[in-house]
Amino acid sequence: MSSQSPADGPDADRDPRVVAARQALLEGVGAEIAASFPGITRLGGQVVAALYLSDGPRSMDELSLELGRSKSNIFANLRGLEAAGIIERRREAGSRHDTYTLRGKYPDVIIGAYLARLRRVVQDKRTLSRRALALLGDAEGEEANALRGRLDDLSRKYDLFADLMDRYIPNIDGPVDLERLIAHIPDSVLRALAGAVRAAWSIAEALGDKLGSTGKRPSKKR
């Protein structure tokens, strides 16, 4: 932490209401991003909020001073944010120091990073389940058969998730402007989609209740 006291810090001459609102955003974004991206702490989320609120790129020194944290902590989170595709590093001609900025508008850049992470998680777990099945091979016995059944089920689900993502979610590397996207989708399409989702959810809940009461998986019609 910085040794700077509130009396002589960067917020000393600001309206306290501005300081409170800004701090609320820093803390909220910090908690959100730390919970969603492994390897990025609350400070990393605060860096994102600080870059969003800034008028331009910020250097590591500027972020350290603004957030009152050590440069080593700032640097570690900048690395994680850059790897997640949330920020980008720049160096102007003639400058000795890098500066950092968001890869796009907030929260569009976070939505894009969420989708990219979800796609990676699905693919990683798909590969993992297949690898585990290959390692199990043709092992026999009660334990092996039970494990094979669980792995088959897991592999099937991740294959389904991967197929749905490939068909319906564009593989975009960067920010996703949901506001603009939704604005260009006709209301009739959104209503039809909402109705289909509600209907599918109701069917899934009904099947879940039936499975829970009978203890058996419903058989598929052929």
Side-chain angles (χ1 to χ4, degrees):
M1 292 290 289
S2 170
S3 59
Q4 195 174 53
S5 67
D8 59 6
D11 293 332
D13 298 327
R14 289 177 174 168
D15 185 321
R17 294 166 296 184
V18 173
V19 174
R22 182 184 181 87
Q23 190 61 31
L25 183 66
L26 289 172
E27 292 177 358
V29 174
E32 166 212 350
I33 291 180
S36 305
F37 295 93
I40 299 176
T41 69
R42 285 174 177 259
L43 176 59
Q46 291 173 4
V47 168
V48 171
L51 291 176
Y52 168 64
L53 294 172
S54 71
D55 296 326
R58 285 282 193 264
S59 69
M60 185 168 60
D61 287 349
E62 290 171 329
L63 290 167
S64 175
L65 178 63
E66 182 175 353
L67 297 174
R69 302 295 295 274
S70 69
K71 287 189 285 187
S72 60
N73 284 336
I74 295 289
F75 179 71
N77 279 278
L78 287 172
R79 293 279 300 270
L81 291 167
E82 190 175 6
I86 297 173
I87 67 170
E88 59 186 11
R89 177 173 37 178
R90 299 177 179 177
R91 178 170 292 192
E92 302 296 334
S95 174
R96 297 176 56 191
H97 301 288
D98 292 331
T99 58
Y100 299 86
T101 186
L102 298 180
R103 283 191 67 194
K105 295 179 180 180
Y106 181 87
D108 304 355
V109 66
I110 301 300
I111 294 171
Y114 280 152
L115 292 177
R117 169 164 166 69
L118 178 59
R119 190 180 293 275
R120 287 195 301 270
V121 167
V122 168
Q123 291 297 339
D124 288 348
K125 296 304 181 292
R126 187 185 193 188
T127 301
L128 174 61
S129 57
R130 290 179 175 179
R131 178 171 176 269
L133 276 169
L135 290 171
L136 182 61
D138 58 358
E140 298 180 353
E142 183 176 346
E143 184 180 9
N145 291 335
L147 178 57
R148 185 176 292 106
R150 290 180 184 273
L151 290 174
D152 280 337
D153 188 56
L154 192 63
S155 181
R156 175 184 56 78
K157 287 182 178 180
Y158 278 114
D159 283 346
L160 174 62
F161 298 157
D163 181 60
L164 288 174
M165 293 191 74
D166 288 341
R167 282 195 287 171
Y168 300 115
I169 301 178
N171 190 5
I172 299 174
D173 179 22
V176 175
D177 189 343
L178 283 184
E179 184 178 19
R180 182 179 178 185
L181 178 63
I182 293 173
H184 285 79
I185 300 177
D187 286 342
S188 57
V189 174
L190 290 175
R191 288 195 296 270
L193 178 61
V197 170
R198 284 195 295 268
W201 189 258
S202 296
I203 293 172
E205 285 187 323
L207 289 174
D209 290 341
K210 182 177 180 181
L211 178 59
S213 63
T214 63
K216 297 180 180 179
R217 184 180 298 276
S219 60
K220 294 181 180 180
K221 293 182 178 180
R222 298 184 181 275

